[in-house]
Amino acid sequence: MQASEVPRAVAAARSTASSLGLTVDDALVLHDSNKLTLRLLPCDVLARVAPVAQQVARFEIELAQLLAESGCPVAALEPRVEPRVHERDGFVVTLWTYHEPVTSREVPPADYAHALERLHAGMRKLDVPTPHFTDRVEQARQLVADRDRTPALADADRELLGDTLRSLGRVIGERGGAEQLLHGEPHPGNVLTTENGLLFIDLETCCRGPVEFDLAHTPEEVGEHYPDVDQDVLRECRILVPAMVTAWRWDRDDQLPDGRRLGTEWLGRIRAALDRR
C-alpha cells in the first residue's frame, strides 16, 4: 500500500471496529503489501484493509466461511461481529480472529503437507467460480511483455521470463490431470502456526488447477510428504511459480522491500533450473 495511504487505512480500520462495538485504543501494523494487516488492541482483532478498487474481500470472506464450516485449516473471521465486508473512506475492511503465533520455528514438512492436504480435501467439495491458474500465468506474461510496466528488465531476462511463462503454462495446462480449487499461494508467509495447528490465510489468490501448482509454493520437502503427487508436473511447477513471482518483482510499482534484488537473484535460479531441466 502507498505510504501516504497508510494513516487513512489505519483510521478506517479503527473507526470500523469501534462502530461495531469493539474497543480500539491502538493499531499495530503486522504486514504491509497490497493490503494492510493490523492488530487492533485491546479488542485483539486482526483487520485487513485494502483500497476499494483493488480488493476481492467479499469472495475471500464467503470462501473462508465455507472452508471453516467444513473443518478446513483456515483462519476464522472475528466471531463478535457480522461476517461481512465494511467500506469506509475508500477502503474495504474485514475483521478476523487474531492468532498469537505459537513459535517462530520452521514448520515440519510432514505437518505442512498434512495441513495442505486437508485444505485441498475441503476445497474439492466446493463449487465456486475462480480463475484458472493459467489466467494468473498469463497476467504475469503480459506484465513481462509490457516494457512500460517493467522498464528495468533487461531484454535477455524479459525473453527468458516470457518464454518460460508461455511454454510451461501451456505444458502444465495441457497435461489433462485432475484439477480442483486451490489456495493459489500457500507459501510459508500464508501459514500461521497456532495453538489450533497450522492455519492458512489470504484466500484472495484462489484459482483452479493441479495440486502441484500449490505445492510449488511450499518448501521442497513438503512435496515429499504429500500423497499421490505427479512429480513431473511438480518439477515444472517449481520453475513456473518462481517465474511468475519474479515477473511481479520487476513491476515498476512493486513495493516489496528489497524486491529488485530478489528479482535478480530469482532470475539466476530460474536459469539454473531450466539448465537442469
Side-chain angles (χ1 to χ4, degrees), residues 25-36:
D25 296 330
D26 197 10
L28 307 179
V29 176
L30 302 181
H31 187 65
D32 181 7
S33 57
N34 60 321
K35 62 169 58 66
L36 197 65

Side-chain angles (χ1 to χ4, degrees), residues 2-277:
Q2 295 292 336
S4 60
E5 293 184 320
V6 170
R8 288 179 46 241
V10 172
R14 294 185 60 161
S15 58
T16 295
S18 296
S19 71
L20 296 170
L22 299 171
T23 303
V24 183
D25 296 330
D26 197 10
L28 307 179
V29 176
L30 302 181
H31 187 65
D32 181 7
S33 57
N34 60 321
K35 62 169 58 66
L36 197 65
T37 303
L38 307 167
R39 183 184 182 184
L40 306 181
L41 295 169
C43 62
D44 220 12
V45 169
L46 188 83
R48 303 183 73 195
V49 193
V52 169
Q54 302 175 14
Q55 58 83 31
V56 289
R58 186 164 289 104
F59 166 79
E60 186 176 22
I61 278 187
E62 293 173 354
L63 183 58
Q65 287 179 281
L66 291 171
L67 291 172
E69 289 169 1
S70 63
C72 288
V74 294
L77 293 156
E78 170 53 46
R80 289 172 285 179
V81 300
E82 181 184 356
R84 68 180 184 87
V85 178
H86 307 272
E87 291 194 20
R88 189 176 294 262
D89 193 24
F91 296 97
V92 293
V93 180
T94 54
L95 301 176
W96 304 77
T97 299
Y98 176 76
H99 295 276
E100 188 74 44
V102 171
T103 176
S104 60
R105 69 180 176 85
E106 186 175 347
V107 177
D111 294 351
Y112 202 140
H114 179 61
L116 187 58
E117 184 185 3
R118 287 177 54 211
L119 178 65
H120 285 159
M123 286 182 154
R124 279 196 292 273
K125 302 174 184 177
L126 302 182
D127 183 16
V128 295
T130 56
H132 196 258
F133 84 97
T134 52
D135 295 334
R136 297 188 60 207
V137 175
E138 178 60 16
Q139 290 175 353
R141 191 199 65 77
Q142 290 180 7
L143 175 63
V144 169
D146 190 335
R147 293 179 181 273
D148 290 335
R149 294 177 62 194
T150 54
L153 191 58
D155 288 344
D157 297 333
R158 191 181 306 276
E159 182 178 2
L160 171 75
L161 285 177
D163 289 349
T164 301
L165 292 165
R166 183 184 304 105
S167 61
L168 288 184
R170 183 181 65 251
V171 167
I172 297 168
E174 292 176 351
R175 281 186 177 271
E179 295 189 347
Q180 66 157 84
L181 182 65
L182 303 174
H183 180 287
E185 290 186 0
H187 54 70
N190 282 334
V191 180
L192 299 179
T193 305
T194 75
E195 293 180 350
N196 298 320
L198 301 183
L199 299 177
F200 290 92
I201 61 172
D202 203 352
L203 300 171
E204 66 176 17
T205 55
C206 283
C207 57
R208 185 163 295 276
V211 296
E212 289 81 6
F213 181 78
D214 262 3
L215 280 167
H217 290 80
T218 69
E220 289 196 17
E221 297 82 0
V222 175
E224 299 171 5
H225 296 273
Y226 194 102
D228 303 321
V229 173
D230 186 323
Q231 293 296 336
D232 290 335
V233 174
L234 180 55
R235 277 191 291 271
E236 305 281 53
C237 286
R238 287 203 181 278
I239 301 175
L240 176 64
V241 166
M244 294 172 59
V245 177
T246 301
W248 298 327
R249 297 290 73 81
W250 290 93
D251 187 340
R252 67 184 180 191
D253 297 325
D254 183 54
Q255 296 184 56
L256 184 72
D258 213 17
R260 191 54 51 82
R261 182 192 64 79
L262 291 172
T264 301
E265 178 182 323
W266 292 342
L267 278 167
R269 294 182 182 181
I270 292 168
R271 282 194 172 88
L274 288 171
D275 289 342
R276 291 193 298 270
R277 177 172 176 265

